[in-house]
Amino acid sequence: LGVIKPNFEHAAFDCGRAVMLTQLMSRFVQDARQNRIFLAEEDLQSCEIEIQRLKLGKSTPTLKHLVRLYCWRIEKLLNSGSQLLGHLDYDGRRTVTSLLGWTWKTMNQMRINPDSILTDSGVLTRQDMFRLKAKHVLGLEGNLPFEVGSGTHH
């Protein structure tokens, strides 16, 4: 990715975990319907998630609680993981910022509307995805709620 500063590992791990948890939560219902559960069993039990009800696409207060719990965790990881940007060169920052933009947008959509994980079409609309891709192609990845580190522009 073009690392230009040392001591990036902790931020890189947090960044990766944020992306992974976002992906797992956004696909949780689709995966459950195929009998694939990737979230922590302890979390499912403490939130009293009923997998059979979930497979039917039924919203419950416990599902909303689980989604918001994961969004809180993801946000903390994003804030820490965003420090990776200050360790990357221009191209690396663009790539990671684009990935963080998708992660942030998806996490926020799940927090605002936890039932969005119940849809087969996914948490983000096609229009949302197009906008994120267009921003990356045009070099307009900014507007993230965390500090984008400085680095060398080429």
Side-chain angles (χ1 to χ4, degrees), residues 64-76:
K64 291 177 183 181
H65 174 69
L66 178 72
V67 172
R68 290 192 174 115
L69 171 67
Y70 271 77
C71 287
W72 176 78
R73 290 176 182 168
I74 292 164
E75 184 172 11
K76 285 178 61 175

Side-chain angles (χ1 to χ4, degrees), residues 47-101:
C47 291
E48 300 175 358
I49 298 298
E50 299 173 38
I51 298 298
Q52 293 306 323
R53 184 179 178 104
L54 185 69
K55 287 180 179 181
L56 298 173
K58 303 291 183 185
S59 177
T60 64
T62 59
L63 177 63
K64 291 177 183 181
H65 174 69
L66 178 72
V67 172
R68 290 192 174 115
L69 171 67
Y70 271 77
C71 287
W72 176 78
R73 290 176 182 168
I74 292 164
E75 184 172 11
K76 285 178 61 175
L77 289 168
L78 277 172
N79 286 325
S80 173
S82 67
Q83 301 306 307
L84 174 62
L85 297 170
H87 295 269
L88 302 175
D89 65 12
Y90 176 76
D91 290 331
R93 276 195 327 277
R94 279 197 65 214
T95 300
V96 172
T97 301
S98 187
L99 183 60
L100 292 176

Side-chain angles (χ1 to χ4, degrees), residues 100-127:
L100 292 176
W102 170 84
T103 304
W104 184 260
K105 177 97 174 145
T106 303
M107 184 268 306
N108 268 325
Q109 182 60 29
M110 290 188 297
R111 181 179 14 222
I112 293 166
N113 180 14
D115 290 341
S116 65
I117 70 167
L118 295 170
T119 65
D120 289 331
S121 60
V123 172
L124 298 182
T125 66
R126 286 182 159 198
Q127 189 176 22

Side-chain angles (χ1 to χ4, degrees), residues 135-146:
K135 283 182 176 185
H136 179 69
V137 169
L138 296 172
L140 303 172
E141 293 89 0
N143 298 327
L144 295 175
F146 32 77

